[in-house]
Amino acid sequence: MSEFLWPWIALALPLPWILRRLLPGARRQLPALRAPFAGELARVAGLDRGVLAPRLLLPALVWGLLCLAAMRPVALGEVVAPPASGRDLLLAVDVSGSMAADDMELGRRRVTRLTAVKAVVADFLDRRVGDRVGLLLFGQRPYLVTPLTFDRGAVRGQLLDSQVGIAGRETAIGDAIGLAVKRLREMPQQQRVLILLTDGVNTAGVLEPRKAAELAAAENVRIYAIGIGSEPGQTRFFGMRIPTQGAEIDEETLTAVAEGTGGRYFRARDTTELAGIYAELDRLEPVADEGEPIRPRIERYVWPLGAALALAGLGVLAGVRRRELAAWH
């Protein structure tokens, strides 16, 4: 099923003919020679104003196609039910110096903690259809890298481009929560969720994590905290135990922060546990239901517009060719 969004533009179809008939013409040049058979010659040459000369057929066709494209023909697609606007979900990812520790395993090879986070969170973002997602990176200072948006691809791209130490080597967990609450508070949504991922202890910033959690609870922001990093001596590599220092995580504080806002604290010692945590978050914070059914409109103006440009190009080439042949003879 097709229709025109601007059908009134069809009134412009006779405009060139009206202008040619009613408006004063260009300055006429006096003929150098008067001949009694000039009218017959004009009709043979296609210059008779009483009929549409063959040389005017191509411009008329181009004009008609341009008017057709300007009328915006559209085709109506199949009825779809897009996801309704869900929650505001902000990811706060620790990029302090300790995230460079390579005590995680991904695809049977050792990787850094940040690399493991990138791999798992990218898949998590693909499933958040209907949610508005943002990205906050923090180290010594927090920075909002991607504001809340439905463009999950942009969030994933910013996360993949992040580097350890880009926000400082220390860890300001409280300031990160405070900035996240500030950004979530600006959005008129009922469900506000912060996923806080860190591998350390609050060592920088001016806001204590527990105080920041109180601010989050007052603004109805639910925090899910994830502590990432292996236990000392628990990492396996090709079946062998590799002694590691492990992550020094303030689990007591993170648990208090999460539970004080109605969320939960999770511990991720490897990529398998981290993926399981995000699967659990999908269950705790399911995506929104389907919205109102809509019938998408598919623009078709490109076809008459392309045909008009192609015909105009052929007309120009034909004119150039005639002039070359005339000059040759």
Side-chain angles (χ1 to χ4, degrees):
M1 182 178 179
S2 300
E3 62 180 16
F4 294 99
L5 297 183
W6 299 338
W8 51 267
I9 293 183
L11 298 175
L13 281 171
L15 184 60
W17 182 83
I18 294 175
L19 294 177
R20 189 166 179 260
R21 287 291 183 180
L22 300 181
L23 295 183
R27 278 184 288 176
R28 301 176 182 274
Q29 295 182 352
L30 293 176
L33 178 64
R34 293 185 179 274
F37 48 85
E40 298 295 333
L41 291 177
R43 281 191 291 272
V44 172
L47 301 177
D48 188 4
R49 296 190 179 187
V51 297
L52 184 63
R55 66 184 182 86
L56 298 180
L57 287 176
L58 184 60
L61 183 58
V62 171
W63 175 253
L65 289 172
L66 288 176
C67 289
L68 183 63
M71 291 166 63
R72 286 190 63 186
V74 296
L76 300 181
E78 297 294 332
V79 176
V80 296
S85 176
R87 60 198 45 75
D88 288 332
L89 192 152
L90 191 56
L91 296 172
V93 179
D94 187 350
V95 290
S96 60
S98 56
M99 290 293 285
D102 57 346
D103 59 351
M104 305 293 283
E105 185 175 331
L106 181 65
R108 301 188 66 181
R109 62 186 181 91
R110 289 168 62 98
V111 297
T112 66
R113 296 169 184 171
L114 183 58
T115 301
V117 169
K118 291 179 181 180
V120 176
V121 174
D123 181 64
F124 172 74
L125 288 173
D126 290 337
R127 301 193 298 270
R128 304 314 300 180
V129 179
D131 284 351
R132 185 161 42 188
V133 185
L135 176 64
L136 186 150
L137 301 179
F138 69 95
Q140 188 172 350
R141 294 183 180 86
Y143 297 96
L144 183 67
V145 179
T146 309
L148 292 166
T149 176
F150 289 110
D151 187 357
R152 292 168 290 119
V155 179
R156 180 171 53 250
Q158 291 285 1
L159 176 62
L160 294 178
D161 290 339
S162 62
Q163 301 294 328
V164 171
I166 194 173
R169 309 295 295 184
E170 296 182 77
T171 308
I173 298 176
D175 286 2
I177 296 175
L179 180 58
V181 171
K182 178 182 178 181
R183 295 306 181 187
L184 288 169
R185 182 177 55 193
E186 297 172 353
M187 310 307 297
Q189 294 290 332
Q190 295 181 351
Q191 297 184 357
R192 299 166 176 170
V193 178
L194 170 63
I195 298 178
L196 175 70
L197 194 147
T198 182
D199 69 338
V201 182
N202 188 74
T203 58
V206 297
L207 189 61
E208 291 295 325
R210 294 175 187 262
K211 183 63 177 179
E214 294 177 5
L215 298 176
E219 296 295 338
N220 295 319
V221 176
R222 189 160 47 254
I223 299 177
Y224 294 99
I226 302 174
I228 183 173
S230 66
E231 299 285 0
Q234 295 298 312
T235 298
R236 288 180 172 272
F237 184 64
F238 288 104
M240 299 182 295
R241 291 185 176 272
I242 305 296
T244 60
Q245 181 179 356
E248 298 180 2
I249 304 173
D250 187 356
E251 296 191 83
E252 181 182 352
T253 297
L254 292 178
T255 301
V257 164
E259 294 180 352
T261 61
R264 286 178 54 184
Y265 169 71
F266 302 91
R267 182 71 167 89
R269 298 169 180 81
D270 51 41
T271 53
T272 302
E273 287 188 353
L274 185 59
I277 290 170
Y278 281 109
E280 179 69 8
L281 290 176
D282 280 333
R283 187 185 67 81
L284 295 174
E285 297 291 340
V287 296
D289 295 331
E290 292 184 343
E292 292 293 330
I294 61 172
R295 184 184 293 272
R297 294 185 305 197
I298 305 171
E299 297 281 354
R300 299 298 191 191
Y301 71 89
V302 293
W303 297 105
L305 179 60
L309 294 177
L311 289 176
L314 290 176
V316 171
L317 292 177
V320 172
R321 182 61 176 169
R322 283 196 299 270
R323 286 193 294 273
E324 290 178 350
L325 291 176
W328 177 262
H329 293 289

Coordinates of all heavy atoms in Angstrom, one line a residue, residues 185-247:
R185 N 18.9 11.6 37.9 CA 17.9 12.4 38.4 C 17.3 13.4 37.4 O 16.2 13.8 37.5 CB 18.5 13.2 39.6 CG 17.5 14.1 40.3 CD 18.2 14.8 41.5 NE 19.4 15.5 41.1 CZ 20.3 15.9 42.0 NH1 20.2 15.7 43.2 NH2 21.4 16.6 41.5
E186 N 18.1 13.8 36.4 CA 17.7 14.7 35.4 C 16.7 14.1 34.4 O 16.0 14.8 33.7 CB 18.9 15.2 34.6 CG 19.9 16.0 35.4 CD 21.1 16.3 34.7 OE1 21.3 15.8 33.5 OE2 22.0 17.1 35.2
M187 N 16.6 12.8 34.4 CA 15.7 12.1 33.4 C 14.4 11.7 34.1 O 14.3 11.2 35.2 CB 16.4 10.8 32.9 CG 17.8 11.0 32.4 SD 18.0 12.4 31.2 CE 17.0 11.7 29.9
P188 N 13.2 12.1 33.4 CA 11.9 11.8 34.0 C 11.5 10.3 33.8 O 10.5 10.0 33.1 CB 11.0 12.7 33.2 CG 11.7 12.8 31.9 CD 13.2 12.8 32.1
Q189 N 12.2 9.4 34.4 CA 11.9 8.0 34.3 C 11.6 7.5 35.7 O 12.1 8.0 36.7 CB 13.0 7.2 33.7 CG 13.3 7.6 32.2 CD 12.1 7.1 31.3 OE1 11.5 6.2 31.6 NE2 11.9 7.8 30.2
Q190 N 10.7 6.5 35.8 CA 10.4 5.9 37.1 C 11.4 4.9 37.6 O 11.6 4.7 38.7 CB 9.0 5.2 37.0 CG 7.9 6.2 36.7 CD 6.5 5.6 36.7 OE1 6.5 4.3 36.6 NE2 5.5 6.3 36.6
Q191 N 12.0 4.1 36.6 CA 13.0 3.1 37.0 C 14.4 3.5 36.6 O 14.7 3.7 35.5 CB 12.6 1.8 36.3 CG 11.2 1.2 36.7 CD 11.0 -0.1 36.0 OE1 11.7 -0.6 35.2 NE2 9.8 -0.7 36.4
R192 N 15.2 3.8 37.7 CA 16.5 4.2 37.5 C 17.5 3.2 38.1 O 17.4 2.9 39.2 CB 16.7 5.6 38.1 CG 15.8 6.7 37.6 CD 15.8 7.9 38.5 NE 15.0 9.0 37.9 CZ 14.6 10.0 38.6 NH1 15.0 10.2 39.8 NH2 13.9 11.0 38.0
V193 N 18.4 2.7 37.3 CA 19.3 1.7 37.7 C 20.8 2.1 37.4 O 21.1 2.6 36.3 CB 19.0 0.3 36.9 CG1 19.9 -0.8 37.3 CG2 17.5 -0.1 37.2
L194 N 21.6 1.8 38.4 CA 23.0 2.0 38.2 C 23.7 0.7 38.4 O 23.6 0.0 39.5 CB 23.6 3.0 39.3 CG 25.1 3.2 39.4 CD1 25.7 3.7 38.1 CD2 25.5 4.1 40.6
I195 N 24.5 0.3 37.5 CA 25.4 -0.9 37.6 C 26.8 -0.5 37.8 O 27.4 0.1 36.9 CB 25.3 -1.8 36.3 CG1 23.8 -2.3 36.1 CG2 26.2 -3.0 36.4 CD1 23.6 -3.1 34.9
L196 N 27.3 -0.7 39.0 CA 28.6 -0.2 39.4 C 29.6 -1.4 39.4 O 29.4 -2.4 40.1 CB 28.6 0.4 40.8 CG 29.9 0.8 41.4 CD1 30.4 2.0 40.7 CD2 29.7 1.1 42.9
L197 N 30.6 -1.3 38.6 CA 31.6 -2.3 38.4 C 33.0 -1.8 38.8 O 33.5 -0.9 38.2 CB 31.6 -2.9 37.0 CG 32.4 -4.2 36.8 CD1 31.7 -5.0 35.7 CD2 33.8 -4.0 36.4
T198 N 33.6 -2.4 39.9 CA 34.9 -2.0 40.4 C 35.7 -3.2 40.9 O 35.1 -4.3 41.1 CB 34.7 -1.0 41.5 OG1 36.0 -0.5 41.9 CG2 34.0 -1.6 42.7
D199 N 37.0 -3.0 41.0 CA 37.9 -4.1 41.5 C 38.7 -3.6 42.7 O 39.7 -4.2 43.0 CB 38.8 -4.5 40.4 CG 39.9 -3.5 40.0 OD1 39.6 -2.3 40.3 OD2 40.9 -3.8 39.5
G200 N 38.2 -2.5 43.3 CA 39.1 -2.0 44.4 C 38.3 -1.4 45.5 O 37.1 -1.7 45.8
V201 N 39.0 -0.5 46.2 CA 38.5 0.2 47.4 C 38.5 1.7 47.1 O 39.3 2.2 46.3 CB 39.4 -0.1 48.6 CG1 38.9 0.6 49.9 CG2 39.6 -1.6 48.8
N202 N 37.5 2.4 47.7 CA 37.5 3.8 47.5 C 38.7 4.5 48.1 O 38.9 4.5 49.3 CB 36.2 4.4 48.2 CG 36.0 5.8 47.8 OD1 35.5 6.2 46.7 ND2 36.2 6.7 48.8
T203 N 39.6 5.1 47.2 CA 40.8 5.7 47.6 C 41.0 7.1 47.2 O 42.0 7.7 47.4 CB 42.0 4.9 47.0 OG1 41.9 4.9 45.6 CG2 42.0 3.5 47.5
A204 N 39.9 7.7 46.5 CA 40.0 9.1 46.1 C 38.6 9.7 46.1 O 37.6 9.0 46.4 CB 40.6 9.1 44.7
G205 N 38.5 11.0 45.8 CA 37.3 11.6 45.7 C 36.9 12.3 47.0 O 37.5 12.1 48.1
V206 N 35.8 13.0 47.0 CA 35.3 13.8 48.2 C 34.1 13.2 48.8 O 33.7 13.6 49.9 CB 35.1 15.3 47.8 CG1 36.4 15.9 47.4 CG2 34.0 15.4 46.7
L207 N 33.4 12.3 48.1 CA 32.2 11.7 48.6 C 32.4 10.2 49.0 O 32.9 9.4 48.2 CB 31.1 11.8 47.5 CG 29.7 11.5 47.9 CD1 29.1 12.4 49.0 CD2 28.8 11.6 46.6
E208 N 32.0 9.9 50.2 CA 32.1 8.5 50.7 C 31.0 7.7 50.0 O 29.9 8.1 49.7 CB 31.9 8.5 52.2 CG 33.0 9.1 53.0 CD 34.3 8.3 52.8 OE1 34.2 7.1 52.7 OE2 35.4 8.9 52.8
P209 N 31.3 6.4 49.7 CA 30.4 5.6 49.0 C 29.0 5.4 49.7 O 28.0 5.4 49.1 CB 31.1 4.2 48.9 CG 32.5 4.6 48.9 CD 32.6 5.8 49.8
R210 N 29.1 5.3 51.0 CA 27.8 5.1 51.8 C 27.0 6.3 51.8 O 25.7 6.2 51.7 CB 28.1 4.7 53.2 CG 28.8 3.3 53.4 CD 29.2 3.0 54.8 NE 30.0 1.8 54.9 CZ 29.5 0.6 55.3 NH1 28.2 0.5 55.5 NH2 30.2 -0.5 55.3
K211 N 27.6 7.5 51.8 CA 26.9 8.7 51.7 C 26.3 8.9 50.3 O 25.1 9.3 50.2 CB 27.8 9.9 52.0 CG 27.1 11.3 52.0 CD 26.0 11.4 53.1 CE 25.3 12.7 53.1 NZ 24.3 12.8 54.1
A212 N 27.0 8.5 49.3 CA 26.5 8.6 47.9 C 25.3 7.6 47.8 O 24.4 7.9 47.0 CB 27.6 8.2 47.0
A213 N 25.4 6.5 48.4 CA 24.3 5.5 48.4 C 23.0 6.1 49.0 O 21.9 5.8 48.5 CB 24.6 4.2 49.1
E214 N 23.2 6.9 50.0 CA 22.0 7.6 50.6 C 21.3 8.5 49.6 O 20.1 8.6 49.5 CB 22.4 8.3 51.9 CG 22.9 7.4 53.0 CD 23.3 8.2 54.2 OE1 23.2 9.4 54.2 OE2 23.8 7.5 55.2
L215 N 22.2 9.3 48.9 CA 21.7 10.2 47.9 C 20.9 9.4 46.8 O 19.9 9.8 46.3 CB 22.8 11.0 47.3 CG 23.6 11.9 48.2 CD1 24.7 12.6 47.5 CD2 22.6 12.9 48.8
A216 N 21.5 8.2 46.4 CA 20.9 7.4 45.4 C 19.5 6.9 45.9 O 18.5 6.9 45.1 CB 21.8 6.2 45.0
A217 N 19.4 6.4 47.1 CA 18.2 5.9 47.6 C 17.1 7.0 47.6 O 15.9 6.8 47.4 CB 18.4 5.4 49.0
A218 N 17.5 8.3 48.0 CA 16.6 9.4 48.0 C 16.1 9.7 46.6 O 14.9 10.2 46.5 CB 17.3 10.6 48.6
E219 N 16.8 9.4 45.6 CA 16.4 9.7 44.2 C 15.9 8.4 43.5 O 15.7 8.4 42.3 CB 17.6 10.2 43.4 CG 18.1 11.6 43.9 CD 17.1 12.7 43.7 OE1 16.2 12.5 42.9 OE2 17.2 13.7 44.4
N220 N 15.6 7.4 44.2 CA 15.0 6.2 43.7 C 15.9 5.5 42.7 O 15.5 5.0 41.6 CB 13.6 6.4 43.1 CG 12.6 6.8 44.1 OD1 12.6 6.3 45.2 ND2 11.8 7.8 43.8
V221 N 17.2 5.6 42.9 CA 18.2 4.9 42.0 C 18.6 3.6 42.7 O 19.1 3.6 43.8 CB 19.4 5.8 41.8 CG1 20.5 5.1 41.0 CG2 19.0 7.1 41.1
R222 N 18.4 2.5 42.0 CA 18.8 1.2 42.5 C 20.2 0.9 42.0 O 20.4 1.0 40.8 CB 17.7 0.2 42.1 CG 17.9 -1.2 42.7 CD 16.6 -2.0 42.6 NE 16.0 -2.0 41.3 CZ 14.9 -1.4 41.0 NH1 14.3 -0.6 41.9 NH2 14.4 -1.4 39.7
I223 N 21.0 0.4 42.9 CA 22.4 0.1 42.6 C 22.7 -1.4 42.6 O 22.4 -2.0 43.6 CB 23.4 0.9 43.5 CG1 23.2 2.4 43.4 CG2 24.9 0.5 43.2 CD1 24.1 3.2 44.4
Y224 N 23.3 -1.9 41.6 CA 23.8 -3.2 41.5 C 25.3 -3.1 41.4 O 25.8 -2.6 40.4 CB 23.2 -4.0 40.4 CG 21.8 -4.3 40.4 CD1 20.9 -3.5 39.7 CD2 21.2 -5.3 41.2 CE1 19.5 -3.7 39.8 CE2 19.9 -5.5 41.3 CZ 19.0 -4.7 40.6 OH 17.7 -5.0 40.7
A225 N 26.0 -3.5 42.5 CA 27.5 -3.4 42.6 C 28.1 -4.8 42.2 O 27.6 -5.8 42.7 CB 27.9 -3.0 43.9
I226 N 29.1 -4.7 41.4 CA 29.9 -5.9 41.0 C 31.3 -5.7 41.3 O 32.0 -4.8 40.9 CB 29.7 -6.2 39.5 CG1 28.2 -6.3 39.1 CG2 30.5 -7.4 39.1 CD1 28.0 -6.4 37.6
G227 N 31.9 -6.6 42.1 CA 33.3 -6.7 42.4 C 34.0 -7.7 41.5 O 33.6 -8.8 41.5
I228 N 34.9 -7.2 40.7 CA 35.6 -8.1 39.7 C 37.0 -8.3 40.1 O 37.7 -7.4 40.6 CB 35.4 -7.5 38.3 CG1 36.1 -8.4 37.3 CG2 36.1 -6.1 38.2 CD1 35.8 -8.0 35.8
G229 N 37.5 -9.5 39.9 CA 38.9 -9.8 40.1 C 39.0 -11.2 40.8 O 38.1 -11.6 41.5
S230 N 40.1 -11.8 40.6 CA 40.3 -13.2 41.1 C 40.7 -13.1 42.6 O 41.2 -12.1 43.1 CB 41.4 -13.9 40.3 OG 42.6 -13.3 40.5
E231 N 40.5 -14.3 43.2 CA 41.0 -14.4 44.6 C 42.5 -14.7 44.5 O 43.0 -15.2 43.5 CB 40.3 -15.6 45.3 CG 38.8 -15.4 45.4 CD 38.4 -14.4 46.5 OE1 39.4 -13.8 47.1 OE2 37.2 -14.1 46.7
P232 N 43.2 -14.5 45.6 CA 44.7 -14.8 45.5 C 44.9 -16.3 45.3 O 44.4 -17.1 46.0 CB 45.1 -14.4 46.9 CG 44.1 -13.3 47.4 CD 42.8 -13.8 46.8
G233 N 45.7 -16.6 44.3 CA 46.1 -18.0 44.0 C 45.0 -18.8 43.4 O 45.1 -20.0 43.3
Q234 N 43.9 -18.2 42.8 CA 42.8 -18.9 42.3 C 42.7 -19.0 40.8 O 41.8 -19.6 40.2 CB 41.5 -18.3 42.8 CG 41.3 -18.5 44.3 CD 41.3 -19.9 44.7 OE1 40.5 -20.7 44.2 NE2 42.1 -20.3 45.7
T235 N 43.6 -18.3 40.1 CA 43.5 -18.2 38.6 C 44.1 -19.5 38.0 O 45.1 -19.9 38.4 CB 44.2 -17.0 38.1 OG1 43.6 -15.8 38.6 CG2 44.2 -16.9 36.6
R236 N 43.4 -20.0 37.0 CA 43.9 -21.2 36.3 C 44.2 -20.8 34.9 O 43.6 -20.0 34.3 CB 42.8 -22.3 36.2 CG 42.6 -23.0 37.5 CD 41.5 -24.1 37.4 NE 41.4 -24.9 38.6 CZ 42.1 -26.0 38.8 NH1 43.0 -26.4 37.9 NH2 42.0 -26.7 39.9
F237 N 45.3 -21.4 34.4 CA 45.8 -21.1 33.0 C 46.2 -22.3 32.4 O 47.2 -23.0 32.8 CB 46.9 -20.0 33.1 CG 47.4 -19.6 31.7 CD1 46.5 -18.9 30.8 CD2 48.7 -19.9 31.3 CE1 47.0 -18.5 29.6 CE2 49.1 -19.5 30.0 CZ 48.2 -18.8 29.2
F238 N 45.4 -22.8 31.3 CA 45.7 -24.1 30.7 C 45.8 -25.2 31.7 O 46.7 -26.1 31.6 CB 47.0 -24.0 29.8 CG 46.8 -23.2 28.6 CD1 47.4 -21.9 28.5 CD2 46.1 -23.7 27.5 CE1 47.2 -21.2 27.4 CE2 46.0 -22.9 26.3 CZ 46.5 -21.6 26.3
G239 N 44.9 -25.2 32.6 CA 44.8 -26.3 33.6 C 45.8 -26.2 34.8 O 45.8 -27.0 35.7
M240 N 46.7 -25.1 34.7 CA 47.6 -24.9 35.8 C 47.2 -23.8 36.7 O 46.6 -22.8 36.2 CB 49.0 -24.6 35.2 CG 49.6 -25.7 34.3 SD 51.2 -25.3 33.7 CE 50.9 -23.9 32.7
R241 N 47.5 -23.9 38.0 CA 47.2 -22.8 38.9 C 48.3 -21.8 38.8 O 49.5 -22.1 39.0 CB 47.0 -23.4 40.3 CG 45.8 -24.2 40.5 CD 45.7 -24.6 42.0 NE 44.5 -25.4 42.2 CZ 43.3 -24.8 42.5 NH1 43.2 -23.5 42.6 NH2 42.2 -25.6 42.7
I242 N 47.9 -20.5 38.6 CA 48.8 -19.4 38.6 C 48.6 -18.6 39.8 O 47.5 -18.0 40.0 CB 48.6 -18.6 37.3 CG1 48.6 -19.5 36.0 CG2 49.6 -17.4 37.2 CD1 50.0 -20.1 35.8
P243 N 49.7 -18.4 40.6 CA 49.5 -17.6 41.8 C 49.3 -16.1 41.4 O 50.1 -15.6 40.6 CB 50.8 -17.8 42.6 CG 51.8 -18.2 41.5 CD 51.0 -19.0 40.5
T244 N 48.3 -15.5 42.0 CA 48.0 -14.1 41.7 C 47.8 -13.3 43.0 O 47.4 -13.9 44.0 CB 46.8 -13.9 40.8 OG1 45.7 -14.5 41.5 CG2 47.0 -14.6 39.5
Q245 N 48.0 -12.0 43.0 CA 47.7 -11.2 44.2 C 46.2 -11.1 44.5 O 45.8 -11.1 45.6 CB 48.3 -9.8 44.0 CG 48.1 -8.9 45.2 CD 48.8 -7.6 45.0 OE1 49.4 -7.3 43.9 NE2 48.6 -6.7 45.9
G246 N 45.4 -11.2 43.4 CA 44.0 -11.0 43.6 C 43.5 -9.6 43.8 O 44.3 -8.7 43.9
A247 N 42.2 -9.4 43.8 CA 41.7 -8.1 43.9 C 41.4 -7.7 45.3 O 40.8 -8.5 46.1 CB 40.4 -8.0 43.0

